[in-house]
Amino acid sequence: MESVTVLLNALWLAVPLYTANAAPVLFGGGAPIDRGKTWRGARVLGDGKTWRGAAAGILTGMTTIFLLNTVYQQLLVEHTVLPVFPLTALVALPIGVICGDMGASFLKRRIGRQRGAPVPVLDQIDFLAGGLLLSIIAAPAWFFSSFTVPTLFLVAATPVIHRVANLTAYRLHLKDVPW
Ligand code: CTP
Ligand code: MG
């Protein structure tokens, strides 16, 4: 694959991972998923993981993938070799993103970090790992034909972009903390 194609593929595949992860920050709030319950002296997930946030993330991720597929099929198909997302990936990838984010919160509460406390690296890769893992399980053939090693490497390197995005959201007062 040409390097430009690899780069475009990685960006294309990363877009829904990021929109699914960003939507809860914008639309989240309300009742926490763990219903305030604690386990071994700490909240199971914490007030930062809400039903509304999870639903917003999943719906936004699914909508993003639908739009990417539509744009590709309507406009780009003759010019590029971007991956089309099958229905299994459309469903699994955003759910995986939200589960990965929740899994990280679960781990953070177990090691005594309060809601919102930063855990570098974990905070940046939780949603990527979740989204990619559930995609492998739900759509293995698609996954391995779409994510070549260099593509996967580039997607895994996107936390640097994530960092810049969070810093921007903080500056715009959309987030309380710059991570
Ligand atoms: N959010 C939400 N529901 C989710 C995930 C996120 O409502 N399932 C919202 C919450 O308002 C949360 C914000 O998005 O505070 C930022 O998300 P995140 O950084 O993942 O949560 P934190 O508040 O930092 O909590 P944690 O320490 O558990 O990561
Ligand atoms: Mg956080």
Side-chain angles (χ1 to χ4, degrees), residues 24-25 28-29 45 48-50 53-54 101 105 108-109 114-116 175:
V25 182
L45 298 174
K49 301 298 114 138
T50 68
D101 180 52
S105 291
K108 286 166 75 174
R109 301 301 90 83
Q114 299 300 310
R115 173 210 174 163
K175 282 192 81 168

Side-chain angles (χ1 to χ4, degrees), residues 11-16 61-74 76 83-85:
L11 288 174
W12 192 257
L13 291 162
V15 167
M62 289 178 176
T63 305
T64 303
I65 291 174
F66 176 79
L67 290 174
L68 289 175
N69 277 351
T70 306
V71 166
Y72 183 74
Q73 277 150 3
Q74 298 294 319
L76 301 171
V84 172
F85 297 81

Side-chain angles (χ1 to χ4, degrees), residues 1 4-13 68-69 71-73 76-77 79-85 142 145-146:
M1 238 193 272
V4 175
T5 310
V6 171
L7 188 63
L8 280 176
N9 266 268
L11 288 174
W12 192 257
L13 291 162
L68 289 175
N69 277 351
V71 166
Y72 183 74
Q73 277 150 3
L76 301 171
V77 79
H79 309 286
T80 56
V81 279
L82 292 167
V84 172
F85 297 81
W142 170 78
S145 65
S146 305

Side-chain angles (χ1 to χ4, degrees), residues 85-111:
F85 297 81
L87 190 61
T88 42
L90 180 147
V91 173
L93 186 143
I95 292 175
V97 165
I98 295 304
C99 289
D101 180 52
M102 281 168 54
S105 291
F106 179 79
L107 289 176
K108 286 166 75 174
R109 301 301 90 83
R110 306 286 74 72
I111 60 168

